[in-house]
Amino acid sequence: NGGSFFRFNPKTKVVDTLKSNVLNETGGDSYDCAASFVVTPDNKIYCGTFLDGKLLELNPVTGDVRDLGITSRTGNLSSLAFKNGILYGLTGSFDSKARPFTYEPATGTYKKMPKLKVYFENTDKKYKYNTGNLFGLVLLPDGTIAMGEKDYNGHLYTWKP
């Protein structure tokens, strides 16, 4: 039906529909789905979509949804984290370059970070890493961002913004 946000109350076991037809209303692909979520201290919920790479902001009190735009032409906003007023995200599709970004809700400032060029050493040669394989993003307590691969290599990379 174009995407919906739901609220579940574990005490009453009641599920409410907060907002229906979200993706159609924001001009997104009606077959799209949520790829990532993060809740901020003010209880707003940010959602990254899979196909379009859109960043959506949900106010759970009013049910209002704001489309904050497409974060990548390649889609797949796979990971979100929030700390000290800044939203961190990782976007990029299967064979494209993954791209971290920051978004400051208070100012509306969105910044794409430089394309990642990650190398790892091997005993006989140096490999250039395919940044399209980055998929997970976690914000560590010291502010470092850790990112992991989604393929068989399983390397862990860090980025200090």
Side-chain angles (χ1 to χ4, degrees):
N1 69 0
S4 298
F5 282 107
F6 299 95
R7 175 176 39 214
F8 174 69
N9 184 326
K11 290 181 182 177
T12 64
K13 308 283 191 243
V14 173
V15 177
D16 295 320
T17 302
L18 288 176
K19 183 77 174 175
S20 292
N21 208 27
V22 172
L23 298 170
N24 289 339
E25 287 180 10
T26 60
D29 187 321
S30 64
Y31 293 102
D32 207 346
C33 62
S36 56
F37 289 96
V38 70
V39 179
T40 60
D42 62 356
N43 289 321
K44 287 198 176 151
I45 300 169
Y46 290 87
C47 169
T49 66
F50 180 72
L51 294 175
D52 291 336
K54 283 181 173 272
L55 179 61
L56 305 174
E57 177 191 77
L58 169 68
N59 182 326
V61 175
T62 65
D64 292 335
V65 176
R66 277 194 326 148
D67 180 0
L68 300 173
I70 294 176
T71 58
S72 170
R73 290 176 295 168
T74 59
N76 192 12
L77 204 170
S78 63
S79 297
L80 290 169
F82 188 86
K83 186 172 183 177
N84 297 332
I86 299 174
L87 183 71
Y88 298 88
L90 181 63
T91 187
S93 194
F94 299 107
D95 294 321
S96 65
K97 303 295 182 206
R99 175 74 64 98
F101 69 89
T102 61
Y103 175 74
E104 294 182 49
T107 63
T109 304
Y110 170 81
K111 292 181 188 173
K112 286 183 181 180
M113 297 294 106
K115 285 187 179 178
L116 300 173
K117 292 179 182 173
V118 183
Y119 294 85
F120 60 94
E121 294 292 333
N122 190 314
T123 54
D124 54 352
K125 55 184 153 181
K126 187 179 254 191
Y127 294 92
K128 184 176 180 190
Y129 173 67
N130 174 7
T131 57
N133 289 333
L134 287 174
F135 195 72
L137 173 147
V138 174
L139 188 60
L140 302 176
D142 71 351
T144 300
I145 294 176
M147 295 170 279
E149 293 178 319
K150 65 180 178 192
D151 67 6
Y152 60 88
N153 291 324
H155 293 103
L156 180 65
Y157 298 92
T158 59
W159 168 51
K160 190 86 165 185

